[in-house]
Amino acid sequence: MRISILTLFPKMFDGFLSESIVKRAIDKGLVSFDIVDIRDFSKLNNKQVDDTPYGGGAGMVMMVEPVVDAINSVRTDNSKVYLMSPSGIPFKEKIAHEFSGFEHLILICGHYEGIDERISYYIDGEISIGDYVLTGGELPAMVISDAVIRLVEGVIRDESIIDESFNNQLLDYPAYTRPPIFDGHAVPDVLLSGHHKNIDEWRKKEQIKRTNEKRPDLLK
């Protein structure tokens, strides 16, 4: 899978691409990244990519031309293009699974007061990671990339994904490790029993219980 991220701040991705599962996926050749600096496509001498909004108003708006040129520099017939935007559809695990099947995903990081609305003619959709405003789309692009990469075949074990939160509209079951007793708090006996059928049944019940307590909206 190939992921291209269009941004005004490419150095923000240095740490993201050099650690943990993302780095391992890159090293294995399962995922590749292009970090594209939108400023490289400005036709102005000072590399300006924003301007004052028509009709007046506070802030600056990113110009559509350099963003479209940046898209076209990496776009292929198999590319899917999404803009990081607070007005986009909420990012969910279902979308992460869909994106993980793409051959090439392009993510655009907006800034300032957003991008000229005409960008809508050049993208496949807009994605939001929550009902709040960030200074730019870089963090959402990292969040989405991380969620997608771990679903790419071979990045992590399939069995690690099957029982994860949200895969069956339930939260994950509680997890424990050594020591068996800490500060008077014990690991549930069933997990120490070695009886796998009982353990599976306990975990399923705990998933429903935890979801009902913490995210009852998922059960609806």
Side-chain angles (χ1 to χ4, degrees):
M1 181 183 191
R2 177 187 175 198
I3 299 177
S4 299
I5 299 178
L6 280 50
T7 174
L8 297 178
F9 300 96
K11 290 184 179 180
M12 287 185 67
F13 294 89
D14 290 350
F16 174 71
L17 298 177
S18 61
E19 300 288 347
S20 191
I21 290 175
V22 175
K23 182 179 186 300
R24 294 202 296 270
I26 295 171
D27 290 344
K28 289 180 179 179
L30 300 173
V31 179
S32 64
F33 272 88
D34 309 307
I35 306 299
V36 181
D37 191 341
I38 297 171
R39 294 186 190 278
D40 290 342
F41 297 89
S42 172
K43 292 181 170 60
L44 302 177
N45 291 333
N46 62 355
K47 295 297 182 181
Q48 181 180 343
V49 294
D50 62 331
D51 209 337
T52 54
Y54 282 127
M60 304 288 278
V61 177
M62 289 179 64
M63 295 182 284
V64 68
E65 184 176 13
V67 180
V68 171
D69 287 346
I71 293 171
N72 291 336
S73 73
V74 293
R75 190 172 209 161
T76 70
D77 291 340
N78 297 317
S79 301
K80 295 290 185 179
V81 186
Y82 287 86
L83 172 66
M84 307 297 95
S85 169
S87 62
I89 61 173
F91 185 67
K92 303 286 187 180
E93 186 72 7
K94 179 180 179 181
I95 296 176
H97 277 274
E98 178 186 353
F99 282 9
S100 69
F102 292 164
E103 180 178 314
H104 183 209
L105 177 62
I106 301 175
L107 303 177
I108 307 171
C109 305
H111 259 276
Y112 312 122
E113 295 301 311
I115 302 176
D116 184 310
E117 184 65 21
R118 289 170 288 186
I119 192 64
S120 62
Y121 295 107
Y122 304 92
I123 63 176
D124 294 294
E126 301 180 29
I127 297 291
S128 168
I129 63 166
D131 294 339
Y132 46 86
V133 179
L134 299 171
T135 55
E138 283 73 21
L139 292 177
M142 293 182 202
V143 168
I144 290 171
S145 296
D146 186 279
V148 170
I149 287 169
R150 60 194 311 283
L151 297 174
V152 173
E153 186 176 356
V155 173
I156 61 177
R157 294 180 302 174
D158 290 342
E159 56 266 32
S160 296
I161 295 174
I162 292 172
D163 292 325
E164 285 185 326
S165 296
F166 309 115
N167 271 357
N168 54 2
Q169 288 300 103
L170 297 174
L171 299 181
D172 203 355
Y173 51 75
Y176 298 85
T177 188
R178 286 181 278 186
I181 300 177
F182 173 74
D183 199 22
H185 304 290
V187 173
D189 291 337
V190 66
L191 298 180
L192 306 177
S193 68
H195 196 302
H196 295 296
K197 181 180 179 182
N198 289 348
I199 291 173
D200 287 342
E201 290 176 353
W202 178 87
R203 285 175 169 170
K204 290 175 182 177
K205 290 178 181 178
E206 287 296 313
Q207 280 190 285
I208 296 172
K209 177 182 175 183
R210 173 176 281 197
T211 306
N212 188 54
E213 291 174 348
K214 299 185 176 184
R215 289 291 305 277
D217 58 296
L218 293 175
L219 296 175
K220 297 177 182 179

